[in-house]
Amino acid sequence: MSISTQTVASMTPPMTCDLSTVSDADLIAMQHAGNEVLTCLAALGRGASNPVAKMLRDAGQFYEDNHYPDGDVYDAATASQYYYHAHRAETGEHGHFHTFIRAAGIPADILPAPYSGSHPPPVGQDAICHLVAVSMNAAGLPVGLFTTNRWVTAETFYTAPNVITMLPTFKIDHAEPCWATNRWLSAMLHLFRPHIENLLRQRDETIAAWQAAHADSDCFEDRALEVTSECVIDIDAHIAAIDDELAKRPMTA
């Protein structure tokens, strides 16, 4: 199955990652995730649908900033959560999926980033960590990834190394509102893990630079800083790169 990527206007060309530094086990896991992504998209396509259409099928009028589906999607077994919405029409995207790990899935020894501003984040059982957002085009296919400032999702902000630790936890493994979409989004975060890790590091660098340049402001609440890192993605090219890298390596039985 071939995925045609339409570039989101404000993004750079597709991000490439150095797969030579990725372990054999992680590359194989990414390869399996790629197969899952394509399988789910193909299954949705056979029903003349896509991940976005499944989120909006019972929504009626599509309103900017509303969460779809109503009440979000949550898997209590993994504390994973996501929703779809739209508010970046200027970028050329249709909308995006926001992905999270809630408090029950955050290790007890991982603490939020230090914060001394006037808008304390949710903590304890209300803590919630934003992982990454997945941009979708008008055809309901993924075209990009991006990270955001804390105020955008009202998250509990964790530093990049800690968020990276939580990435493998994300998995929605139930049938509602759409099993194929749940499996697809779960696999996307595993397939593009190197990209997401890079974006999270860039996010922290962006925030640190912003804070240095605006010492008198609460950086995490500054509405002038919304998207903190972003990139275009190409599913087919990334899967091909994974296959090429694995082909170079001598694999033991």
Side-chain angles (χ1 to χ4, degrees):
M1 179 181 181
S2 179
I3 304 299
S4 176
T5 299
Q6 299 179 6
T7 301
V8 177
S10 68
M11 294 184 182
T12 57
M15 176 186 284
T16 57
C17 293
D18 182 8
L19 298 179
S20 67
T21 63
V22 179
S23 70
D24 291 353
D26 286 345
L27 271 179
I28 292 170
M30 289 163 60
Q31 186 181 58
H32 290 165
N35 292 336
E36 178 85 335
V37 163
L38 295 182
T39 296
C40 292
L41 289 176
L44 289 166
R46 286 193 295 273
S49 191
N50 59 65
V52 173
K54 288 297 185 181
M55 294 301 100
L56 303 181
R57 62 183 174 181
D58 299 320
Q61 180 69 37
F62 181 48
Y63 292 101
E64 188 174 87
D65 283 328
N66 279 13
H67 290 201
Y68 297 93
D70 186 34
D72 301 0
V73 180
Y74 180 69
D75 190 323
T78 62
S80 303
Q81 179 175 333
Y82 76 82
Y83 61 83
Y84 185 79
H85 76 165
H87 59 80
R88 302 199 318 149
E90 72 281 358
T91 69
E93 69 168 29
H94 176 274
H96 48 267
F97 289 89
H98 280 295
T99 61
F100 305 86
I101 297 294
R102 296 204 67 91
I106 299 173
D109 61 344
I110 290 183
L111 301 177
Y115 177 73
S116 58
S118 58
H119 295 77
V123 295
Q125 293 305 306
D126 295 323
I128 182 168
C129 176
H130 183 254
L131 302 174
V132 72
V134 182
S135 292
M136 308 296 289
N137 65 14
L141 296 174
V143 292
L145 303 168
F146 65 93
T147 65
T148 59
N149 198 0
R150 195 211 73 82
W151 66 266
V152 177
T153 59
E155 66 172 302
T156 309
F157 196 88
Y158 294 86
T159 61
N162 287 331
V163 182
I164 288 168
T165 297
M166 298 182 222
L167 283 175
T169 306
F170 186 86
K171 184 178 183 181
I172 306 288
D173 195 24
H174 56 62
E176 298 300 328
C178 172
W179 191 34
T181 297
N182 293 345
R183 290 174 57 194
W184 163 79
L185 186 57
S186 300
M188 281 289 291
L189 267 63
H190 293 281
L191 172 61
F192 285 100
R193 181 170 176 176
H195 299 69
I196 298 169
E197 291 183 359
N198 285 343
L199 289 174
L200 288 166
R201 296 186 188 101
Q202 291 175 17
R203 178 203 68 171
D204 284 11
E205 292 170 1
T206 297
I207 288 174
W210 191 275
Q211 187 65 75
H214 305 81
D216 295 331
S217 72
D218 183 345
C219 179
F220 290 114
E221 290 297 317
D222 194 333
R223 267 49 180 176
L225 178 59
E226 179 177 357
V227 173
T228 48
S229 61
E230 60 184 337
C231 72
V232 168
I233 56 173
D234 185 318
I235 290 175
D236 291 334
H238 184 45
I239 290 175
I242 293 168
D243 292 342
D244 289 346
E245 181 60 34
L246 282 170
K248 298 175 187 175
R249 303 186 183 191
M251 293 293 176
T252 56

